[in-house]
Each structure stands twice: as structure tokens, then as C-alpha cells.
């Protein structure tokens, strides 16, 4: 009888510890990592921005950009403007759709910085600036 009582105490102790651990994890705010779809959107934003700048300088129509086959190699946590962020590196393929043709490139290296907003619902693409720190844009 005393043996079954010990098992019950051990089982109860495990349940209590599991509840405490779950509470601590919730209180600490378990962070969601940026997924591949989000990273793909961030890369597309960066590539589109670069293409628009080049097109403006050359006075050409900006091509449409399609980003494919994103392969994430590293996700390194850091803090940007007092918010959790990640430096993400890897490779991707992309296609530029020009008026009369398509240009594709494979295995392009990338580096993006994604910042989690304080409410935890959205991510922002963070871009380092030489003089002003960081500029962030909502990833849609």
C-alpha cells in the first residue's frame, strides 16, 4: 500500500512540475521563429527595392520579382531597437519578369534581419543604415 502511495506522490509531483514549467514558458513568451514563407517575402521586398532603385536610375520600368526555393541555413537571435530579431542567412532562387523576357538566377546568397513586433502578431524587415541605426518595414 505504501508503494502505490509513493507512485501517486511522484505522479502528482510530475503534474505540478509540468504545470509550473508550462506557466513559466508562457510567461517568458515562447518565441516563434520566422518561417520560410516569411523569409521569402522579406527577400522579395529587398530584391524589389534594389530593382526599383536600379530601374529609377536607368529610367526603366521595374521588373516583377518572384522568389523561389528559399533554403535557410542559419537563424541567429539578436535585439534590434529593444525587440527580438533574427539574422537569417541562406540561399534562394529568383526570376525577374521583364517586358519581353524572364531572367532567372539560382542559389543566390541572402541575409535578412527580421524583427518581431512587441505584440507578437507581425514581423518587420530591418535594414541597417550607416548613420541612423535601423530602418524597419512591415513584411506583408
Amino acid at each position: 500500500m505504501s508503494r502505490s502511495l509513493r507512485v501517486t506522490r511522484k505522479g502528482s509531483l510530475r503534474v505540478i512540475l509540468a504545470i509550473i514549467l508550462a506557466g513559466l514558458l508562457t510567461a517568458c513568451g515562447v518565441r516563434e521563429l520566422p518561417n520560410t514563407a516569411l523569409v521569402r517575402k522579406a527577400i522579395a521586398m529587398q530584391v524589389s527595392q534594389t530593382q526599383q532603385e536600379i530601374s529609377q536610375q536607368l529610367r526603366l520600368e521595374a521588373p516583377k520579382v518572384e522568389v523561389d526555393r528559399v533554403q535557410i541555413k542559419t537563424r541567429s537571435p539578436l535585439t534590434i531597437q529593444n525587440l527580438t530579431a533574427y539574422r537569417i542567412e541562406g540561399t534562394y532562387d529568383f526570376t525577374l519578369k521583364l517586358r519581353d523576357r524572364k531572367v532567372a538566377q539560382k542559389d543566390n546568397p541572402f541575409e535578412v534581419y527580421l524583427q518581431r513586433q512587441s505584440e507578437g502578431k507581425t514581423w518587420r524587415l530591418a535594414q541597417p543604415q550607416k548613420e541612423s541605426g535601423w530602418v524597419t518595414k512591415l513584411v506583408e
Side-chain angles (χ1 to χ4, degrees):
M1 187 106 177
S2 65
R3 183 175 185 185
S4 64
L5 184 59
R6 280 189 216 146
V7 171
T8 304
R9 285 184 185 167
K10 283 184 180 179
S12 298
L13 182 59
R14 287 182 183 160
V15 170
I16 291 169
L17 288 174
I19 291 170
I20 291 170
L21 180 60
L24 288 173
L25 288 175
T26 303
C28 293
V30 176
R31 304 266 188 240
E32 177 186 334
L33 292 175
N35 62 33
T36 304
L38 179 72
V39 173
R40 180 181 294 119
K41 289 178 185 178
I43 295 167
M45 286 174 66
Q46 281 188 335
V47 173
S48 292
Q49 179 182 346
T50 302
Q51 290 302 318
Q52 286 176 358
E53 290 169 3
I54 292 169
S55 296
Q56 285 174 354
Q57 289 176 359
L58 298 175
R59 296 189 175 124
L60 298 172
E61 183 180 331
K64 302 226 184 292
V65 176
E66 285 184 8
V67 174
D68 298 306
R69 206 181 60 80
V70 173
Q71 293 188 316
I72 297 171
K73 295 197 174 44
T74 62
R75 287 183 182 99
S76 306
L78 69 145
T79 301
I80 298 174
Q81 299 168 337
N82 297 320
L83 293 171
T84 299
Y86 292 89
R87 176 179 182 244
I88 303 166
E89 295 178 284
T91 59
Y92 69 101
D93 297 347
F94 79 94
T95 304
L96 294 178
K97 292 185 175 183
L98 305 168
R99 189 178 318 153
D100 56 347
R101 66 177 190 238
K102 292 181 181 180
V103 177
Q105 288 191 349
K106 296 185 181 283
D107 296 322
N108 294 286
F110 74 86
E111 174 183 72
V112 295
Y113 294 88
L114 291 170
Q115 178 192 55
R116 184 78 166 169
Q117 295 305 281
S118 58
E119 72 280 357
K121 295 178 184 175
T122 58
W123 290 88
R124 295 182 72 84
L125 173 63
Q127 296 174 305
Q129 304 296 304
K130 289 181 182 177
E131 297 175 13
S132 60
W134 294 89
V135 171
T136 65
K137 298 176 187 171
L138 181 65
V139 178
E140 297 180 32

